[in-house]
Amino acid sequence: MDLLTLAGRVATETGHDPFDGALHRDLATLGNDHLAQERRLETAALTLRKVWLSAAHRPADASLKSPRDGDIARVPCGDSLHFGYERDLDMSILEDRGAAYAPPPAGWTSDMVIFRSGQAALAAILQFVASAWGDRRTLSVAHAGAYFETRALLDAWPRQNFRPTHPSVVSADVVICEPVWCNGCFAATKRLPRARHVLLIDTTMVGPACDLSPWLLAAGNDCDLAIAFSSGLKLDQAGLELANVGIARVLVRDGAQRRSEITGRLRQLRGLMATGLTLDELSALSAPWFLDRAYVDNYVAAIFANNRVLAHAIGHESPVFGPHCHPALTSNADAPFCAIQLREPSPSRYRRFVEIVEQQRERRGLLLAKGGSFGFRGHRFELIEPAPDQGHPFLRLAMGWRDGHSCRGLGELFHELAAYESFEALDRAYGR
C-alpha cells in the first residue's frame, strides 16, 4: 500500500511511525464498507502529512530569519544548512536531485533551479530573457497554449519588452509551449514556431516523463537554450501538498557553454525578487519522495490512467457532453483531469449539472471532494467559469491517484450521464 510505503520513509527520517501500526487494522475492521475505507485512507494521508510537517517545521521554528554567525539548521532528511539571510537560502539540497529526477535529452545538458511557485519561476525566467535579449529591441513571444496566468504575466510587461504574436508564425524570439492545454476543452500542441533565442516549456500538466526532444527539435538549430518549468505542487508531492514550489530545468545544447552563467543569473534573480523557498518550505520539501523520479512516475501514471478511463467512459459522441473532455480521446497525450463541457451550455444548466453530480455522489456513496486543482490522492471536481475572453465554462473532474470503489463509481455515473439523448432528458431522469 502506497501510504504505508510513504510512512516507512517518514519513519526512517523522523524515527516515528505516523500510523503506529493502526492503518491495516482499521481498514480490516471496516470490512466491505468501501466508502468508509476510502475516508479512512483520506484521513491517513492527512495524518502522514501532519507528522512530516511537524518534523519539518522544527528547524525554522528554532532559526532566526537572519541567523547568528555559526548557527546551523538541520532539516529532516539529514542535511545541514548555514545561511546569512533566508531570502538567499541555498536550494542545492533539492536542486542536486535534479540530475536523477529529469536527465536531459541527448545532445543537451541541464541544471535545476527551484523557486517558490511555478509562476515565480516564469516571472524570473521572463526577467532573465528581457535582460539578456530585450535591452535594445522588443522581443516577439509566441505562446502555444492557453494557461490564463501565463497570458496575464506576459500582459503585465510593457509592450516595448514583449510583443505577443500568434503561434502559427514561422519563428519568434521567445516561444512558450504547453504540450497539453485546456481552455474549456483539451488540445495537444502539434507544432511550434522556431525559437530565435529561447524555448520555454510548461510541463505542469504532463509531468517529468514528458519527452522534451520533439519540442527541442521543433525550436530549431539556432535555439541553444530551453527552460522547462512547472508547478511542483500538483504532481510531484504524492498529493500531500507540502509546499508551493516551482521547478525550472535549464537545458543548454552541448557545446554552448552557458549553463552555469544562466543558472547563476536565475538564482541571483530569485534572491533579488524574494522568490526562493523559506526554510520552512525547503525543510518540508526535503521529503524523500519529492523529486524522486521512480515514485513520481508511478504516481503520475496512476493519475493519468484514472483520467483516461473516465474520459473513455464519457466518450466523444455524447449528446450531452462536448467531444474534447480529455486529450486521450483525440491523441496519445495525457492529462490529470477531464474538462467536461455541455453541448448546449448555459449558466443554469451548468449549475444544475453540478447539483446532479452532488446528488449522485451522495446516493451512490462516492468520495468526491469539491475543490480546485489536480494531482491529488482523491478525486475532486469544480465548476470553472472563466472570464469571457479567457475560455468557456466547464466542469473540471480531476481523478486522483486512488482507484477502487469511487473511481469505478464515477466512471459508471458519467457513462450513464453521457448516454442521455439531451440535457433535458438527463435533467428529467434525475428529478429534483
Side-chain angles (χ1 to χ4, degrees):
M1 183 188 296
D2 180 68
L3 282 176
L4 292 176
T5 300
L6 293 179
R9 299 180 79 170
V10 169
T12 298
E13 303 292 348
T14 67
H16 174 61
D17 176 6
F19 304 137
D20 291 325
L23 184 56
H24 260 317
R25 183 180 66 249
D26 291 350
L27 292 174
T29 300
L30 293 170
N32 293 323
D33 189 340
H34 302 301
L35 178 58
Q37 288 181 336
E38 290 187 344
R39 285 178 172 153
R40 179 66 183 91
L41 290 170
E42 285 280 287
T43 302
L46 294 176
T47 298
L48 189 150
R49 178 181 186 270
K50 183 177 179 180
V51 169
W52 176 258
L53 289 180
S54 177
H57 289 328
R58 288 178 198 140
D61 291 346
S63 301
L64 296 170
K65 299 295 184 183
S66 51
R68 296 162 298 189
D69 186 41
D71 284 355
I72 295 175
R74 289 182 174 83
V75 297
C77 68
D79 287 293
S80 298
L81 293 169
H82 174 70
F83 59 96
Y85 192 41
E86 191 179 45
R87 184 156 55 85
D88 293 318
L89 194 62
D90 180 8
M91 308 289 159
S92 61
I93 65 171
L94 299 182
E95 292 171 344
D96 288 348
R97 301 180 186 183
Y101 171 78
W108 295 74
T109 60
S110 70
D111 272 327
M112 178 177 286
V113 183
I114 293 290
F115 292 87
R116 200 168 191 176
S117 69
Q119 283 300 100
L122 180 56
I125 291 165
L126 291 176
Q127 184 73 45
F128 162 74
V129 170
S131 64
W133 293 288
D135 55 338
R136 299 188 178 209
R137 59 187 289 266
T138 300
L139 298 174
S140 59
V141 182
H143 177 200
Y147 186 48
F148 72 99
E149 287 196 335
T150 297
R151 290 180 176 176
L153 197 54
L154 286 169
D155 288 343
W157 280 83
R159 283 293 173 264
Q160 64 262 35
N161 295 111
F162 293 119
R163 174 177 54 83
T165 188
H166 198 274
S168 63
V169 298
V170 173
S171 64
D173 295 314
V174 183
V175 176
I176 303 177
C177 168
E178 297 171 31
V180 170
W181 49 272
C182 178
N183 63 354
C185 55
F186 267 105
T189 297
K190 292 183 170 55
R191 66 164 300 276
L192 286 180
R194 293 193 303 274
R196 288 190 285 270
H197 295 308
V198 60
L199 169 66
L200 310 179
I201 309 171
D202 185 347
T203 60
T204 300
M205 282 215 288
V206 294
C210 175
D211 182 9
L212 302 183
S213 300
W215 311 117
L216 298 172
L217 182 63
N221 292 331
D222 292 336
C223 178
D224 60 12
L225 172 63
I227 304 177
F229 66 96
S230 64
S231 166
L233 177 69
K234 308 297 194 302
L235 298 174
D236 294 275
Q237 299 184 34
L240 299 178
E241 296 188 73
L242 302 175
N244 264 307
V245 62
I247 301 169
R249 291 182 279 155
V250 178
L251 296 113
V252 175
R253 196 184 297 274
D254 285 349
Q257 298 180 345
R258 298 167 52 214
R259 194 181 76 219
S260 60
E261 173 189 337
I262 294 165
T263 54
R265 178 60 176 153
L266 287 173
R267 288 174 181 138
Q268 180 187 42
L269 287 169
R270 178 180 68 193
L272 292 171
M273 299 166 69
T275 54
L277 300 176
T278 64
L279 177 56
D280 234 5
E281 293 162 338
L282 178 65
S283 184
L285 291 169
S286 72
W289 56 88
F290 179 61
L291 299 178
D292 177 338
R293 178 59 180 271
Y295 181 83
V296 171
D297 278 353
N298 288 333
Y299 182 79
V300 172
I303 289 174
F304 284 171
N306 289 341
N307 282 282
R308 274 198 310 273
V309 169
L310 178 67
H312 286 293
I314 295 169
H316 56 81
E317 296 181 347
S318 166
V320 178
F321 302 133
H324 302 297
C325 72
H326 191 275
L329 296 179
T330 55
S331 70
N332 293 323
D334 269 310
F337 62 87
C338 290
I340 304 170
Q341 288 188 312
L342 298 177
R343 284 193 184 267
E344 298 177 353
S346 73
S348 61
R349 284 179 175 171
Y350 272 110
R351 286 193 295 271
R352 175 62 180 141
F353 179 27
V354 170
E355 287 179 2
I356 292 169
V357 171
E358 292 176 326
Q359 172 199 83
Q360 292 302 307
R361 173 188 63 184
E362 300 306 317
R363 288 185 178 177
R364 299 176 187 225
L366 305 176
L367 194 58
L368 175 65
K370 195 170 186 179
S373 211
F374 56 84
F376 304 116
R377 305 189 74 79
H379 317 304
R380 293 190 180 193
F381 77 108
E382 180 184 25
L383 180 60
I384 305 296
E385 298 179 280
D389 61 339
Q390 293 179 348
H392 304 288
F394 63 96
L395 185 82
R396 176 164 57 196
L397 181 49
M399 302 299 290
W401 172 89
R402 189 182 306 117
D403 60 5
H405 167 71
S406 292
C407 187
R408 290 190 298 271
L410 287 167
E412 292 166 0
L413 170 60
F414 277 85
H415 181 70
E416 291 175 20
L417 298 178
Y420 282 91
E421 62 185 18
S422 66
F423 186 83
E424 286 74 12
L426 184 156
D427 189 13
R428 289 193 300 270
Y430 296 90
R432 299 171 193 270

